[in-house]
């Protein structure tokens, strides 16, 4: 692979971004934790429930396919952040268990891509819904239907680091397939048919890109509509900053905000 990716076993590809040990590694994690605390406090003051969702590294979930040992700092990163958050009294929903359980039946990350598969995103959506069900949040109910569509050829974002060109059918990586889904809302039980949306999703391309159908699976699992404020290519912190400045947050705040945060961003400098 060219710089930026790692070729693992059986054609599995990984981003080197997950293994980067940047300057100020632990300080950056502490800064991330403090940012989550600040956002949680700001939302709690307005009666909004924040669910920070920590998405583990693909290289952690599929460490056996990585083909190399991850540095100690990297293997400890997720638990370090969770420990700091716990000490600060903020509960973070860790998606690791849901993904490990779901990988027993299907791949939860795409082999040629940085991101989760629809199967993985659906498992995490269900985990979030179970966590929300244990709270006293009452969401405006909606009737939704999710349909599985066709499977189509899929080329992941990591393939640009292994440009095998015309030799690909012979030496790989193999062509992946991805199943497409649609989620349609039939009713949304607001007063006098005025649609009410109580949920906001904020995050990265894990939430923004249609291929993973995370927002759709979340709607179905929660039984409620949502507005997706996730952005591609901005990391998890810039979209949250933009959301906090938005008219939607200031003038018609939701009851529930789900903030999707990939682990690999938590040790980066937020203001490089």
């Amino acid at each position: 692979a060219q710089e930026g990716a790692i070729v693992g076993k059986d054609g599995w590809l990984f981003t080197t971004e997950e293994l980067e040990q940047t300057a100020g590694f632990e300080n950056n994690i502490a800064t991330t934790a403090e940012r989550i605390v600040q956002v949680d406090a700001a939302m709690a003051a307005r009666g909004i429930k924040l669910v920070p969702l920590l998405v583990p590294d693909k290289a952690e979930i599929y460490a056996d396919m990585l083909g190399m040992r991850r540095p100690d700092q990297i293997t400890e990163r997720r638990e370090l952040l969770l420990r700091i958050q716990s000490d600060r009294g903020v509960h973070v929903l860790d998606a690791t268990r849901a993904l490990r359980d779901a990988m027993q039946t299907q791949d939860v990350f795409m082999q040629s891509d940085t991101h989760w598969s629809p199967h993985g995103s659906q498992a995490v959506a269900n985990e979030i819904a179970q966590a929300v069900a244990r709270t006293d949040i009452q969401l405006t109910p909606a009737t939704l239907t999710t349909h599985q569509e066709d499977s189509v050829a899929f080329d992941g974002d990591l393939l640009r680091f292994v440009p095998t060109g015309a030799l690909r059918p012979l030496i790989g990586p193999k062509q992946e397939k991805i199943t497409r889904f649609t989620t349609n809302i039939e009713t949304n039980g607001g007063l006098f048919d005025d649609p009410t949306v109580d949920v906001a999703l904020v995050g990265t391309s894990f939430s923004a890109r249609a291929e993973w159908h995370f927002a759709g699976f979340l709607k179905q699992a929660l039984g409620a509509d949502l507005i997706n404020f996730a952005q591609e290519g901005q990391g998890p912190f810039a979209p949250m900053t933009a959301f906090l400045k938005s008219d939607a947050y200031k003038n018609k705040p939701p009851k529930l905000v789900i903030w999707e945060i990939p682990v690999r961003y938590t040790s980066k400098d937020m203001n490089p």
Side-chain angles (χ1 to χ4, degrees), residues 39-74:
V39 173
D40 180 72
M43 291 192 178
R46 301 192 66 191
I48 302 169
K49 172 64 177 177
L50 175 69
V51 177
L53 172 70
L54 201 60
V55 181
D57 294 336
K58 176 182 178 180
E60 177 180 2
I61 298 298
Y62 285 98
D64 57 332
M65 305 307 295
L66 180 62
M68 61 180 290
R69 185 177 180 274
R70 296 187 302 145
D72 290 343
Q73 266 192 330
I74 300 299

Side-chain angles (χ1 to χ4, degrees), residues 18 40 50 70 94 96 103 108 120 145 149 159 175 180 185 204 210 214 241:
E18 292 184 343
D40 180 72
L50 175 69
R70 296 187 302 145
D94 183 1
T96 303
M103 71 187 291
V108 294
T145 55
E149 308 293 343
L159 287 177
Q175 179 69 65
R180 297 189 290 192
I185 185 166
T204 71
F214 184 52
T241 298

Side-chain angles (χ1 to χ4, degrees), residues 104-171:
Q104 305 305 315
T105 53
Q106 291 183 45
D107 288 339
V108 294
F109 278 82
M110 302 302 297
Q111 292 189 22
S112 64
D113 199 277
T114 313
H115 302 87
W116 51 24
S117 66
H119 179 63
S121 79
Q122 185 174 28
V124 175
N126 291 337
E127 181 81 0
I128 293 170
Q130 292 172 20
V132 172
R134 293 191 290 268
T135 71
D136 58 359
I137 300 173
Q138 298 295 318
L139 302 176
T140 301
T143 301
L144 302 112
T145 55
T146 295
H147 297 285
Q148 179 175 319
E149 308 293 343
D150 56 343
S151 293
V152 297
F154 175 82
D155 284 340
D157 60 3
L158 295 172
L159 287 177
R160 68 182 184 273
F161 299 105
V162 284
T164 53
L167 295 176
R168 184 179 175 187
L170 297 176
I171 65 174

Side-chain angles (χ1 to χ4, degrees), residues 26 29-30 33 37 54 73 75-92 94:
E26 292 188 3
I29 293 176
V37 169
L54 201 60
Q73 266 192 330
T75 61
E76 297 166 0
R77 174 170 53 190
R78 178 173 57 84
E79 291 294 344
L80 175 58
L81 179 68
L82 290 171
R83 188 163 59 250
I84 295 173
Q85 295 291 180
S86 178
D87 290 343
R88 297 297 303 274
V90 175
H91 176 69
V92 174
D94 183 1

Side-chain angles (χ1 to χ4, degrees), residues 170-219:
L170 297 176
I171 65 174
K174 68 180 181 181
Q175 179 69 65
E176 281 193 272
K177 294 280 189 180
I178 190 168
T179 302
R180 297 189 290 192
F181 295 84
T182 58
T183 297
N184 299 310
I185 185 166
E186 298 176 8
T187 62
N188 191 349
L191 185 63
F192 303 118
D193 295 325
D194 179 23
T196 301
V197 181
D198 295 328
V199 185
L201 172 62
V202 182
T204 71
S205 47
F206 279 85
S207 299
R209 287 182 57 180
E211 295 99 316
W212 329 132
H213 200 66
F214 184 52
F217 289 138
L218 261 179
K219 293 178 184 180

